[in-house]
Amino acid sequence: MGTVLEAAIKDTNGSILTKNPTVVFVLGGPGSGKGTQCANLVEHFGFTHLSAGDLLRAEIKSGSENGTMIQNMIKEGKIVPSEVTIKLLQRAMQENGNDKFLIDGFPRNEENRAAFEEVTGIEPTFVLYFDCPEEEMERRLLSRNQGREDDNIETIRKRFKVFLDSSLPVINYYDAKGKVRKIDAARPVEEVFDSVKAIFGPKNEKIL
Ligand SMILES: Nc1ncnc2c1ncn2[C@@H]1O[C@H](COP(=O)(O)OP(=O)(O)OP(=O)(O)O)[C@@H](O)[C@H]1O
Ligand SMILES: O=c1ccn([C@@H]2O[C@H](COP(=O)(O)O)[C@@H](O)[C@H]2O)c(=O)[nH]1
Ligand SMILES: [Mg+2]
């Protein structure tokens, strides 16, 4: 029989910091509103928001040895190797101390998903999926104005393709396990958040 992995956040020596943390994966296409809605959830429900993309961008700025590789992958809309992203997520969880995390924009492919589960033993409580048409996501990304190197039409088209080819299968995997909570993300921010609140609200206190 295989070993059953304990779901836990561990320090670098392998000692357990937090057993069975609550983890919600927040997925959806580029520009579907993941970061916007996570900021609302942090305020209302006390989660810690970890955006994998933000962690990777911070790693570039830090001058890390992986910085140039990450920057090139992001410019091309490609998915950074799992071990790099997982290390950043683990470090952020270790340093934070909370036991409730929104992991935004990860896992992005099947290999990300399997590697995270294997390394941490953590399975998401559920997956919040922001469903939005490409035309609306494209409009939002082109007017985001945050100086992101990947918010140009050429890279945006590549990101859409990677989402369809590699990330949607992850959502389908969790859907088959009954874990996906799908939200119509094409509506105004407040309306989207009303639907999000209905998922995270009092009725769901037990699972959160
Ligand atoms: N419901 C909405 N209606 C209109 N604009 C929105 C909505 N939600 C977010 N936006 C805007 O769209 C842009 C993208 O939103 P956000 O950064 O939250 O998306 P994201 O899913 O995190 O994108 P990425 O995957 O590129 O990080 C932002 O400028 C944000 O203000
Ligand atoms: O798990 C991840 C998350 C992100 N990336 C790379 O970063 C960019 C931007 O991600 P956002 O979620 O839109 O901030 C993405 O296109 C990938 O290149 C990644 O490789 N792995
Ligand atoms: Mg984002």
Side-chain angles (χ1 to χ4, degrees), residues 26-37:
V26 182
L27 301 178
S32 56
K34 302 180 293 295
T36 303
Q37 297 298 331

Side-chain angles (χ1 to χ4, degrees), residues 25-136:
F25 289 149
V26 182
L27 301 178
S32 56
K34 302 180 293 295
T36 303
Q37 297 298 331
C38 283
N40 286 337
L41 281 167
V42 166
E43 250 187 61
H44 282 74
F45 295 99
F47 276 79
T48 292
H49 172 208
L50 299 178
S51 154
D54 286 350
L55 291 170
L56 290 167
R57 284 182 285 274
E59 190 68 359
I60 298 171
K61 282 211 186 106
S62 77
S64 121
E65 56 176 357
N66 286 322
T68 309
M69 178 274 289
I70 297 172
Q71 189 168 27
N72 290 334
M73 301 290 274
I74 289 181
K75 266 195 215 149
E76 288 301 314
K78 291 184 178 157
I79 299 169
V80 171
S82 295
E83 69 262 25
V84 173
T85 315
I86 291 171
K87 271 204 186 105
L88 294 175
L89 286 167
Q90 277 187 303
R91 190 170 71 197
M93 288 194 283
Q94 285 159 2
E95 288 172 358
N96 183 271
N98 199 352
D99 62 355
K100 300 199 301 186
F101 296 93
L102 301 166
I103 299 194
D104 159 2
F106 179 95
R108 261 182 146 85
N109 61 15
E110 185 53 24
E111 199 244 330
N112 277 177
R113 182 200 67 70
F116 183 82
E117 209 176 293
E118 164 131 15
V119 171
T120 65
I122 297 170
E123 275 231 27
T125 307
F126 60 85
V127 174
L128 197 57
Y129 167 39
F130 291 111
D131 184 32
C132 195
E134 276 191 9
E135 312 82 72
E136 173 63 14

Side-chain angles (χ1 to χ4, degrees), residues 191-207:
E191 275 184 40
V192 176
F193 192 53
D194 283 342
S195 301
V196 171
K197 265 193 296 195
I199 290 167
F200 282 79
K203 267 203 324 208
N204 282 309
E205 260 170 11
K206 280 200 190 111
I207 56 165

